[in-house]
Amino acid sequence: MTDKHLNQHQLGQRWSLSPRTLERWRWEGFGPPHLKIGGRILYRMSDVQAYEDGHLRDSTAKHQGARLSAAEAAQTAGV
């Protein structure tokens, strides 16, 4: 099976985030798993989709009062 890969610029475009935010998330251990091959950072599309599925919410009321990580707070703030 062949899995499509995204680089950090492509993933940043998909999520409307800067590549620098994705770099910080990797450093903080946040976000989808990534590959580092020959100095390039790649994200498997299956990992990106699994990460998105894990963050799917049907209501904000169920998650009220839950603390956000620094990266989640930055994402919510549009950084």
Side-chain angles (χ1 to χ4, degrees), residues 15-37:
W15 289 348
S16 300
L17 296 173
S18 76
R20 183 68 183 113
T21 297
L22 293 170
E23 290 173 12
R24 189 181 74 247
W25 284 9
R26 286 194 306 273
W27 186 82
E28 293 174 349
F30 183 75
H34 64 279
L35 301 166
K36 186 169 185 180
I37 300 174

Side-chain angles (χ1 to χ4, degrees), residues 23 49 55 57 76:
E23 290 173 12
Q49 290 173 331
H55 285 77
R57 304 288 188 253
T76 302

Side-chain angles (χ1 to χ4, degrees), residues 1-7 10-11 14 33 35 42-49:
M1 179 178 147
T2 304
D3 200 357
K4 180 173 171 52
H5 294 82
L6 300 176
N7 63 35
Q10 293 166 324
L11 183 57
R14 179 182 176 98
L35 301 166
L42 299 171
Y43 296 90
R44 292 185 298 198
M45 193 60 172
S46 58
D47 291 331
V48 170
Q49 290 173 331

